[in-house]
Amino acid sequence: MRADKDLQKMLVEKTANYKDTIPVFKIRNRNIQELHNESVRLVLPFTNALQAKELRFDCVQKENHTLLRLHDNATLQYFPESGCIRFQKNTPGYLNPISEDSKETNKNEFEKAACDILEKNKLNLSGSMDNLHFEKLFQLKSAGMSSERKITPVVLNRLVYAYRRFVDELPVLGSASVFIKTSAENKLDAFGIDWRYLHEDPITMATIMKPEEAAAIALEQLQNTNPERLYTPKEISPISFELGYFSHSKTMYQTIMQPVYVAKFIFTGKFRMGYALAVPASRTPYESICRKVIPPPFNAGRNNKKVSFSPRINPFKSC
């Protein structure tokens, strides 16, 4: 294995959440009808409908997801391969800004409200075997210049709260498990959920590779991106090396929730570009983490009956 020893040592020192053994879980994939019903239930409080049967929408089937066009230009998307849900009000960023001058805001106060915002919008899906923690706050800002070439104050348009799911005290790595975008007065502007449901009983206990061995594999994969030169600490710096579970992207099917190591680096120099990669944390091959898995047909292997949606009054035309 080609890897700089100093770089490997630095990466190992960043190891977090290490355990000797970790339970491996089977993912409970939902059929389209179940996913549709859950998506409607979660989005209902942010619409003008009191009950699911009153919700008006236009349903458009895309290549890898279903799109529901709701009232007032809002949209709801759900992805059958992963069960991910995305809702957006599609309100222009300049409407309902949080502050006309971001310098007057206190980021710490926003972070303290993160848990209250999650519970208020009823987007915490954690149960007996998992929980959800606030991870990071993002601020979306804008600014401009007047005709007199005076720079206007930086406007704080939106806040995005990102939350991380933990299973067996280990983070589910990948995209944010839940995110909530808010406008003025903590009003919800959009949300997203990446939550693969698990069977409670683990299928096995995975023996975890030592960080030194996993770091060597990660650096070898990194080296394969540029085999002509050997990366050293002068060119790239490790940011974190975290053990946890792995969740694919929203368009990818997955059957196993398995442990992985995720290494994050940043390239030094003029362009400080980040890079992340995941490697299996066990020598047992449960499921590929880099290759797309083909799901069973939705009308056969995952559905026992034909999918049908309840009748709705559709005020829009299909694309």
Side-chain angles (χ1 to χ4, degrees):
M1 296 183 180
R2 292 185 64 212
D4 182 87
K5 297 301 181 182
D6 292 334
L7 189 59
Q8 182 178 348
K9 182 180 178 182
M10 292 171 62
L11 185 59
V12 171
E13 290 174 350
K14 298 289 185 179
T15 303
N17 311 324
Y18 178 75
K19 292 184 177 183
D20 292 328
T21 58
I22 293 177
V24 178
F25 296 95
K26 182 77 173 176
I27 294 174
R28 181 176 67 83
N29 289 290
R30 294 160 287 173
N31 60 41
I32 298 179
Q33 185 71 66
E34 185 180 1
L35 181 57
H36 173 86
N37 292 341
E38 182 184 30
S39 302
V40 170
R41 177 183 64 82
L42 291 172
V43 81
L44 199 62
F46 314 112
T47 68
N48 59 350
L50 299 178
Q51 303 179 46
K53 63 182 180 181
E54 298 177 358
L55 184 64
R56 298 184 177 187
F57 61 81
D58 181 34
C59 182
V60 182
Q61 187 64 52
K62 301 290 186 177
E63 180 180 359
N64 55 19
H65 69 276
T66 298
L67 170 67
L68 303 186
R69 294 174 175 171
L70 307 175
H71 182 67
D72 289 340
N73 200 39
T75 57
L76 171 65
Q77 297 173 290
Y78 53 84
F79 298 77
E81 311 286 16
S82 63
C84 290
I85 301 170
R86 297 286 186 270
F87 169 73
Q88 295 187 56
K89 288 188 175 180
N90 294 308
T91 306
Y94 58 83
L95 295 180
N96 303 321
I98 295 171
S99 174
E100 296 292 344
D101 189 348
S102 62
K103 292 182 179 180
E104 298 177 355
T105 61
N106 188 340
K107 184 178 179 181
N108 292 332
E109 293 298 322
F110 294 134
E111 292 179 344
K112 290 179 182 178
C115 293
D116 292 336
I117 290 173
L118 178 69
E119 299 303 329
K120 171 188 173 183
N121 293 293
K122 299 179 180 180
L123 295 175
N124 188 351
L125 304 183
S126 58
S128 59
M129 62 182 301
D130 49 22
N131 49 66
L132 199 62
H133 295 290
F134 170 66
E135 183 174 64
K136 195 171 183 179
L137 176 66
F138 299 89
Q139 302 180 67
L140 306 183
K141 304 177 181 180
S142 63
M145 182 179 292
S146 67
S147 57
E148 291 81 17
R149 296 183 177 274
K150 293 183 178 180
I151 299 177
T152 62
V154 177
V155 178
L156 179 58
N157 300 106
R158 297 290 186 269
L159 293 172
V160 180
Y161 297 86
Y163 304 83
R164 180 66 54 195
R165 179 189 185 187
F166 283 74
V167 176
D168 195 45
E169 300 181 352
L170 290 174
V172 179
L173 304 170
S175 61
S177 303
V178 176
F179 77 81
I180 300 175
K181 182 193 289 187
T182 62
S183 58
E185 300 178 352
N186 292 330
K187 292 183 178 179
L188 186 139
D189 192 67
F191 74 78
I193 296 176
D194 175 10
W195 202 282
R196 300 176 194 258
Y197 286 83
L198 308 177
H199 292 281
E200 291 190 5
D201 296 328
I203 59 175
T204 186
M205 294 294 293
T207 301
I208 303 303
M209 283 191 291
K210 296 297 183 182
E212 293 79 7
E213 183 179 356
I217 296 174
L219 290 175
E220 183 180 22
Q221 288 194 17
L222 175 67
Q223 193 62 54
N224 289 338
T225 63
N226 188 1
E228 297 181 358
R229 59 187 301 180
L230 184 67
Y231 286 119
T232 67
K234 293 182 179 179
E235 300 165 308
I236 191 168
S237 176
I239 301 300
S240 63
F241 192 48
E242 197 169 9
L243 177 65
Y245 290 101
F246 178 72
S247 181
H248 268 300
S249 67
K250 61 181 180 290
T251 60
M252 296 189 73
Y253 181 68
Q254 188 174 342
T255 63
I256 302 293
M257 187 67 77
Q258 63 178 318
V260 300
Y261 281 100
V262 174
K264 296 181 181 179
F265 305 90
I266 188 165
F267 286 88
T268 57
K270 183 177 181 181
F271 301 102
R272 293 178 59 81
M273 182 171 58
Y275 188 84
L277 58 87
V279 296
S282 172
R283 297 185 185 90
T284 303
Y286 296 106
E287 187 175 67
S288 173
I289 62 174
C290 60
R291 197 177 308 171
K292 188 168 184 178
V293 180
I294 304 300
F298 285 101
N299 60 353
R302 295 172 69 183
N303 286 343
N304 295 323
K305 60 181 181 179
K306 183 178 179 181
V307 175
S308 61
F309 300 124
S310 302
R312 298 288 186 272
I313 301 174
N314 297 329
F316 304 98
K317 294 181 179 179
S318 299
C319 295

